[in-house]
Amino acid sequence: MKMEDQKKALPYPKSVFFIISNEFCERFSYYGMKTVLSLYLTTTLHYNENEATILYHTFAMLCYFFPLFGAIIADSFFGKFNTIFYLSIVYAIGNIVLSFASTAFQTIPYKELSLLGLLLISIGTGGIKPCVSSFGGDQFVLPDQSLQLQRFFSIFYFSINAGSLISTFFTPILRNNVKCFGQDSCFPLAFGTPAILMIVSVVIFVCGRRLYVIKKPKENVITIFFNCIARALKNKFFHGSQVEKKSYWLEYADDRFSHQQISDIKAVLKVLYLFIPVPFFWALFDQQGSRWTFQATNMDGRLFGYYIKPDQMQVMNPLLILLFIPIFELYVYPLLTRIRIKRPLQKLTLGGFMAAASFVISAYVEHYVEQSYVALPSAGQGHVRLFNSLNCAVHLNPPINNVDRIEALSMAEFLHLSANESERITSISADQPCNLKSAEVHFTVYDEKTKSYFINQKSDKELALYAPAGYDNLKKDEDGNAKIRSFYNSENLSPITLTFSAGDKQISTVINPKSYSEYVSLESEVYNVLVNGTVVLENISINPAEIDVLLLNYNGTKVVGNIVNIVPPNEVHMLWQLPQIIIITAAEIMFSITGLEFSFTQAPESMKSVLSSAWLLTVAFGNLFVVVISEIEIFKSQVYEFLLFAGLMVLDMLLFVWFSLKYQYTDYSNSNKKDDDRVTASMPTLASDLSS
């Protein structure tokens, strides 16, 4: 029988459809959870942005650290099927724990449970990462089904990106548009949906059990790699005087390992030397889910009546990848070849410089975004805001920072006052027609805090200064909603119902007289302000992420009011992030896919899985760099941190160029002719491993 007839006679393995469906659900689960993770850490667990960045990248680091152990366990002990099954259960439990913890019930240790859930997820997703695609490859008879195997990996890669694309768009909507458990968002649903998909993933995978080709585990090449190095070092440094001197240190392991094994490991070490600068690329790339998401929270997401969620900007990466891959193959790479950029190391270098450029652009955007940030007091200083809730001007004697008058229903802001945290004294008096007695009032400036006070009146017609509990929370809303609180001054002792109305949308809160309300979250709209159903202010434009104070005064006849802005709105549109996202996605294609190709072609057949694992580890170490730099907190301004990453990336690529100049490419294509079909068909495995 001819080879072509034999290939036609082999049926396409039905088992791979279970594997592809399993991968789609798992990738939906992973990216859906990861997309909203940064905002969960800040809004529900109340970590600051720096702490959230550290936790986010620690999680990402672990997700790419555990594949090393997953590969060893699968190949040496349990086999791929059992490893995927057991670790998928761990994975699903982690999702369930995280979803339960996000309810933030005060009776449960929700912070600790959240971190436990993330640890279990990282063990699960990392452990199965090197197994799923190669397990799919095991279902085919090679070299007879090499073409079918290539089609499988194309579908497999599509399922990865489809799961990523759908969940990255969908889970921020679940988080933001649904409210549950007394919260303004619904992280339990945003995490619970990926948890359900992960459970479905396990069920689908098990359903194909009877159809799978399951190969028994054998000695793992990664353990051979490390054992050979350990043996060589031991013989050289502890038994060197007892053995014949070798020309290369690795040859000291020749008492236990063959000449071919030692030669193959030598080749791997040559490539690993080039990998030294590689991790820093991932330090920049993975900040799309942390620093760039936090940047988006301070930008305007309004677009044709729809509001883009900050974490939804991450959907652009998988979308652009699917768009860019054919464009690069058909147009970009031929163009680069014309200007003599065609070798893998040249493309890797260009990709690295592009990543640096994306961070220069992000710093430029951040420079304008930061103009909408509120000034925060430095050490030894405090800020004070005095709100006049009366319907007449108030005078200060002695003046504070040369301010001696606060207009009716207005505010005076005092920045950078010396914070000795002892009481300060001033006298306040009111203009006519208030007809109120003057009073001596006390206030305190707190170190590195902002404190608001509001001027009101006592029942005996004497002026008074009231202090709302706590300090001012001037952090903008993560979803771009405005925040507004109210100060209400009235002789009427009855509470009032304050309502913000925009069409069919109504948001109400109750305020006691001579009191204040907590912050109310308002979407960007034009509102009417009503007190007890009567309109006080009309057509008030509320802009994204601004923070306002509504001052209300009942003068015996009617309620009058005024809105004072204390934190400016987000004015830089979120779509200004597109240039940096487009460039870093193009850099990813140049760097990631080319790096996988280089790793594959420059590795001996027996060592390809070692370099695949090493490439995944570069992602882990890249995230470790972010953790370290974030922990140091070199700069207060995010602009300078972005520029720092860009500068370090340029230096990193210059180091990579220096390493590359000494590298000699090796051609393994003719080393084992009978395995050519297997080699060609195996190549997408590496791409699938990294993408997943």
Side-chain angles (χ1 to χ4, degrees), residues 334-573:
L335 179 62
L336 291 176
T337 300
R338 290 184 182 180
I339 58 174
R340 306 189 65 166
I341 298 177
K342 57 184 179 179
R343 308 203 80 176
L345 295 180
Q346 293 173 317
K347 295 177 184 177
L348 281 165
T349 303
L350 181 58
F353 283 124
M354 290 172 69
S358 73
F359 265 65
V360 172
I361 294 172
S362 69
Y364 180 78
V365 172
E366 182 69 16
H367 169 71
Y368 288 97
V369 171
E370 285 188 357
Q371 293 179 17
S372 69
Y373 291 2
V374 66
L376 297 176
S378 55
Q381 297 180 335
H383 295 176
V384 169
R385 290 186 177 86
L386 295 184
F387 292 91
N388 179 12
S389 61
L390 304 175
N391 199 24
C392 57
V394 170
H395 298 271
L396 306 177
N397 186 27
I400 304 173
N401 279 15
N402 298 320
V403 175
D404 61 358
R405 178 185 174 92
I406 305 176
E407 298 297 334
L409 298 174
S410 185
M411 171 197 73
E413 188 175 50
F414 306 101
L415 305 181
H416 311 300
L417 298 176
S418 177
N420 53 20
E421 301 202 2
S422 59
E423 285 193 342
R424 299 193 179 193
I425 302 173
T426 189
S427 294
I428 54 176
S429 58
D431 280 352
Q432 296 296 335
C434 286
N435 193 27
L436 298 172
K437 300 176 186 177
S438 300
E440 185 179 83
V441 295
H442 302 248
F443 66 94
T444 304
V445 182
Y446 295 95
D447 187 31
E448 294 189 81
K449 304 291 184 184
T450 300
K451 182 71 176 177
S452 287
Y453 300 86
F454 71 101
I455 299 168
N456 211 319
Q457 67 183 77
K458 297 180 182 178
S459 57
D460 60 359
K461 297 286 187 176
E462 183 179 359
L463 290 171
L465 190 67
Y466 292 89
Y471 305 105
D472 289 358
N473 177 13
L474 302 180
K475 181 175 175 58
K476 292 190 174 188
D477 185 88
E478 302 284 4
D479 290 313
N481 292 335
K483 295 195 300 186
I484 186 168
R485 73 190 305 187
S486 305
F487 293 152
Y488 173 43
N489 172 60
S490 172
E491 295 181 17
N492 186 347
L493 298 182
S494 301
I496 63 168
T497 299
L498 175 65
T499 303
F500 298 92
S501 175
D504 296 333
K505 184 186 302 179
Q506 291 193 341
I507 300 173
S508 299
T509 184
V510 175
I511 312 178
N512 291 318
K514 299 184 181 179
S515 187
Y516 60 93
S517 73
E518 297 300 327
Y519 281 110
V520 173
S521 178
L522 296 178
E523 294 181 8
S524 178
E525 292 276 5
V526 176
Y527 290 90
N528 292 332
V529 181
L530 297 85
V531 173
N532 292 339
T534 301
V535 175
V536 175
L537 296 171
E538 289 185 288
N539 299 325
I540 302 299
S541 293
I542 299 297
N543 297 305
E546 68 182 16
I547 301 180
D548 301 314
V549 171
L550 172 62
L551 299 174
L552 296 171
N553 180 274
Y554 179 66
N555 59 13
T557 307
K558 65 177 182 177
V559 177
V560 293
N562 184 41
I563 289 183
V564 178
N565 177 254
I566 59 174
V567 176
N570 293 344
E571 295 180 343
V572 180
H573 200 278

Side-chain angles (χ1 to χ4, degrees), residues 3 13 58 91 137 148 228 242 412 433 440 443 516 527 530 608:
M3 183 64 71
T58 299
Y91 192 165
Q148 291 94 325
C228 181
Q242 303 171 21
E440 185 179 83
F443 66 94
Y516 60 93
Y527 290 90
L530 297 85
K608 294 188 186 297

Side-chain angles (χ1 to χ4, degrees), residues 78-98:
F78 298 144
K80 292 169 188 170
F81 174 83
N82 287 331
T83 300
I84 295 170
F85 175 62
Y86 294 140
L87 291 182
S88 292
I89 292 175
V90 173
Y91 192 165
I93 292 172
N95 274 297
I96 294 168
V97 169
L98 181 61

Side-chain angles (χ1 to χ4, degrees), residues 239-267:
H239 306 292
S241 60
Q242 303 171 21
V243 297
E244 181 184 350
K245 190 173 182 180
K246 310 291 184 181
S247 60
Y248 187 75
W249 65 270
L250 199 60
E251 293 174 1
Y252 283 91
D254 61 3
D255 62 331
R256 184 170 296 180
F257 296 88
S258 68
H259 173 75
Q260 185 62 50
Q261 288 175 319
I262 293 173
S263 177
D264 288 350
I265 293 173
K266 278 184 187 178

Side-chain angles (χ1 to χ4, degrees), residues 203-219:
V203 172
I204 291 174
F205 183 70
V206 173
C207 286
R209 173 70 176 84
R210 296 180 61 186
L211 299 174
Y212 295 140
V213 173
I214 299 177
K215 296 181 179 180
K216 293 182 180 179
K218 55 185 178 180
E219 187 176 10

